[in-house]
Amino acid sequence: MTDHFLTEIVMLCIHILELFGIFVIVFGCIKAFLQYLRAGFTTEGRDIKLELAKILAFALEFKLGGEILRTVITKNMKELYMLGAVILLRSFLTLVIHYEIKFESD
């Protein structure tokens, strides 16, 4: 009974974090696109690209938080391996985006 309740609470938190990440990505991309339109379809001002990279990195942090929470409710090693691969992939993407942010801001 307690395990089922804990699983349901954790799953709800995971879905909320995933939803936060989705909202950040969608609204951030819309904002960046509108700035791109206002700039006359040019990316000469690197601010748009830099801002979008920051938004994507921020959204990935929410998604990564959801994956870390998912480790609490994994039932077997196969799920844990798959989850580990997803966490590594998202962490790698975050590192690449942070590298791009650093490279663009210099």
Side-chain angles (χ1 to χ4, degrees):
M1 176 84 175
T2 311
D3 287 341
H4 179 70
F5 182 69
L6 177 66
T7 302
E8 291 300 317
I9 297 264
V10 171
M11 284 304 295
L12 178 64
C13 292
I14 291 168
H15 290 306
I16 290 170
L17 288 174
E18 292 279 334
L19 194 59
F20 287 167
I22 291 168
F23 283 141
V24 169
I25 291 170
V26 169
F27 291 117
C29 288
I30 290 170
K31 178 183 172 188
F33 183 71
L34 292 176
Q35 288 175 343
Y36 178 69
L37 287 176
R38 278 188 238 127
F41 297 103
T42 64
T43 57
E44 289 177 13
R46 293 185 177 184
D47 294 340
I48 298 170
K49 188 175 178 181
L50 187 61
E51 187 66 29
L52 182 58
K54 288 179 182 178
I55 288 167
L56 291 176
F58 184 59
L60 272 172
E61 296 296 331
F62 282 113
K63 308 283 276 170
L64 191 56
E67 296 302 332
I68 291 170
L69 267 182
R70 197 177 305 270
T71 62
V72 173
I73 58 170
T74 41
K75 304 258 189 272
N76 57 43
M77 288 305 288
K78 185 178 178 183
E79 286 180 21
L80 191 60
Y81 292 144
M82 184 64 73
L83 191 56
V86 170
I87 288 173
L88 283 175
L89 179 62
R90 288 190 177 171
S91 297
F92 176 73
L93 287 172
T94 302
L95 285 173
V96 168
I97 290 172
H98 282 292
Y99 175 78
E100 183 178 339
I101 290 169
K102 183 177 177 172
F103 179 75
E104 289 290 328
S105 63
D106 289 339

